Amino acid sequence: MTEKEARKELMRRALEIGPTVHVGKDGLKDSLYEEIKAQLKKNRLIKVKVLTDEGTSDIAEAIAEATSAVVVDVRGSVVLLTDKRTWTSLSQKKF
């Protein structure tokens, strides 16, 4: 499965979930990173709602770098994240 197909599969799975983490006006803090890590470990795929005026893409990259996650998609103010293990298993999967 290519990266494009893996991204498409994860986006299909994400249709059923809502945002579970909200980045408020205070921005990114250590407690927020820990919450994201815990949810990624439990669910493997999460949505993050960004409520700040900063660029959503910049926040997505900062979260991915701090939590060792993979940014699947950024649409509007919602970021879709997955853990690296799920990403590599899907993108290396062969049918």
Side-chain angles (χ1 to χ4, degrees), residues 9 14 27 36 42-43 56 73 88 93:
E9 171 65 21
I36 291 171
K42 181 180 176 186
N43 300 327
T56 308
D73 192 31
T88 54
K93 193 175 191 179

Side-chain angles (χ1 to χ4, degrees), residues 20-21 35-44 46:
T20 56
V21 178
E35 179 64 26
I36 291 171
K37 284 182 189 178
Q39 287 197 20
L40 280 172
K41 187 175 182 180
K42 181 180 176 186
N43 300 327
R44 297 186 183 224
I46 64 168

Side-chain angles (χ1 to χ4, degrees), residues 18-25 27 32 35-36 47-51:
T20 56
V21 178
H22 296 270
V23 178
K25 293 181 180 180
L32 188 66
E35 179 64 26
I36 291 171
K47 283 185 181 177
V48 178
K49 178 82 171 176
V50 179
L51 304 173

Side-chain angles (χ1 to χ4, degrees), residues 4 27 33 37 45 49 80 84 95:
K4 183 178 179 181
Y33 291 133
K37 284 182 189 178
L45 182 67
K49 178 82 171 176
L80 183 62
K84 284 191 177 183
F95 293 101

Side-chain angles (χ1 to χ4, degrees), residues 3-20:
E3 285 189 12
K4 183 178 179 181
E5 291 169 335
R7 185 176 311 276
K8 195 173 185 179
E9 171 65 21
L10 289 170
M11 288 172 60
R12 184 189 60 78
R13 292 180 189 179
L15 290 173
E16 300 173 0
I17 63 174
T20 56

Side-chain angles (χ1 to χ4, degrees), residues 38-78:
Q39 287 197 20
L40 280 172
K41 187 175 182 180
K42 181 180 176 186
N43 300 327
R44 297 186 183 224
L45 182 67
I46 64 168
K47 283 185 181 177
V48 178
K49 178 82 171 176
V50 179
L51 304 173
T52 64
D53 294 334
E54 298 176 37
T56 308
S57 300
D58 298 335
I59 291 176
E61 290 303 320
I63 291 172
E65 185 177 318
T67 60
S68 67
V70 177
V71 177
V72 177
D73 192 31
V74 177
R75 291 199 182 186
S77 62
V78 178

